[in-house]
Amino acid sequence: VTTTRLFGQYLGIRSKHVPLVVDSDDWLAQPGVVFKLIKQFCAQLESEFLTEEFGTQIVKNLLYLTGCLMKYPQITPNNTESSTTDKKDEFYTKYDYLPPPQWVFRRLSRMATKAIASNDTLIKCIFQWNGAIATTLDNETLQFFIKPLLYSVFVYSRFDIGETTPENIKENSRIAKEIVEYLKERVGTTTFIKTYDEVQSMITAKRAKRKQSKDLLA
């Protein structure tokens, strides 16, 4: 927690007073550094000690670092780091060689879907990141990343909320619905509906595959 806060203070100073300088001795601009920090903060979101306060700081750190990757695409991980990390998880290995910004969006999206009904604090943090990062993107860039953003909030945006629904699920559902409406407003109805249908088809297909696997094991 202390390290994350210290990094938050450091990145806060950097964002206001010390711009990142590529092709220099700037530590943060060295190949792989930003990407490595993003991986570490993503891992911290999955910590059993995650709290909303801790998560909020991680989200701020991730927003700044993702912004660096978006603004300076030449800051990429070196081949050695990319090919030797996260080997235990098929998803992370599969996407190791995506452009770093796209990798970040997909990893957080995957983390959110894996945490459904099991880690509401993690989900809330990722939803906060989704909403905040979307506001920083121009319309053309947002259309490129809208699918992983929608994918992560899809299930919560369709929850039927009732009197007995836990407050944390109500809160996450509210945030998810706000993000969906914001994305729809930004990219336009036609693009939104097309992408929404694609995401729905992907999720339906995965559920069917999961059910088929369970039936085979029964």
Side-chain angles (χ1 to χ4, degrees):
V1 176
T2 301
T3 302
T4 300
R5 286 175 179 164
L6 289 174
F7 256 113
Q9 293 174 4
Y10 168 72
L11 296 178
I13 293 172
R14 292 293 308 250
S15 66
K16 294 179 180 179
H17 306 292
V18 188
L20 188 147
V21 180
V22 296
D23 299 324
S24 70
D25 293 332
D26 188 341
W27 169 76
L28 202 58
Q30 301 309 302
V33 172
V34 168
F35 194 67
K36 183 177 180 180
L37 288 173
I38 288 174
K39 284 190 171 187
Q40 290 175 349
F41 288 128
C42 284
Q44 288 179 5
L45 281 176
E46 295 180 303
S47 168
E48 62 180 303
F49 303 110
L50 182 70
T51 63
E52 286 198 21
E53 180 183 3
F54 182 28
T56 297
Q57 184 60 65
I58 295 174
V59 168
K60 291 179 180 179
N61 294 352
L62 285 173
L63 285 170
Y64 175 79
L65 294 169
T66 306
C68 290
L69 291 182
M70 302 287 287
K71 188 174 182 180
Y72 307 104
Q74 62 268 50
I75 304 177
T76 56
N78 57 55
N79 292 333
T80 301
E81 179 190 10
S82 181
S83 62
T84 58
T85 53
D86 295 330
K87 289 291 187 182
K88 295 181 181 179
D89 193 308
E90 180 182 354
F91 173 84
Y92 300 142
T93 303
K94 179 180 179 182
Y95 293 117
D96 259 348
Y97 294 98
L98 285 172
Q102 192 174 352
W103 186 95
V104 178
F105 279 80
R106 293 207 184 190
R107 174 161 185 174
L108 289 171
S109 176
R110 174 66 171 176
M111 286 168 58
T113 55
K114 287 176 66 177
I116 291 175
S118 64
N119 192 335
D120 292 313
T121 303
L122 167 60
I123 289 172
K124 184 175 182 179
C125 290
I126 293 177
F127 286 3
Q128 288 174 336
W129 182 88
N130 284 354
I133 198 70
T135 64
T136 69
L137 306 178
D138 58 57
N139 286 352
E140 182 179 355
T141 306
L142 182 59
Q143 289 187 39
F144 184 75
F145 290 110
I146 186 175
K147 187 175 289 186
L149 290 174
L150 270 178
Y151 192 91
S152 61
V153 301
F154 182 87
V155 172
Y156 273 81
S157 71
R158 293 167 63 93
F159 272 174
D160 291 326
I161 303 300
E163 293 183 0
T164 60
T165 304
E167 288 300 320
N168 50 0
I169 293 180
K170 287 182 181 179
E171 175 70 3
N172 286 340
S173 179
R174 179 189 64 78
I175 296 172
K177 290 173 181 176
E178 289 180 355
I179 292 172
V180 167
E181 288 302 315
Y182 177 78
L183 293 174
K184 181 178 180 180
E185 179 181 342
R186 284 286 307 277
V187 303
T189 303
T190 302
T191 299
F192 176 83
I193 291 177
K194 179 178 180 294
T195 309
Y196 190 88
D197 288 345
E198 289 174 354
V199 169
Q200 186 173 23
S201 296
M202 289 167 60
I203 291 176
T204 300
K206 286 195 173 185
R207 287 173 175 172
K209 185 177 180 180
R210 243 187 340 256
K211 183 178 183 303
Q212 185 180 33
S213 298
K214 289 182 180 179
D215 291 342
L216 290 173
L217 293 173

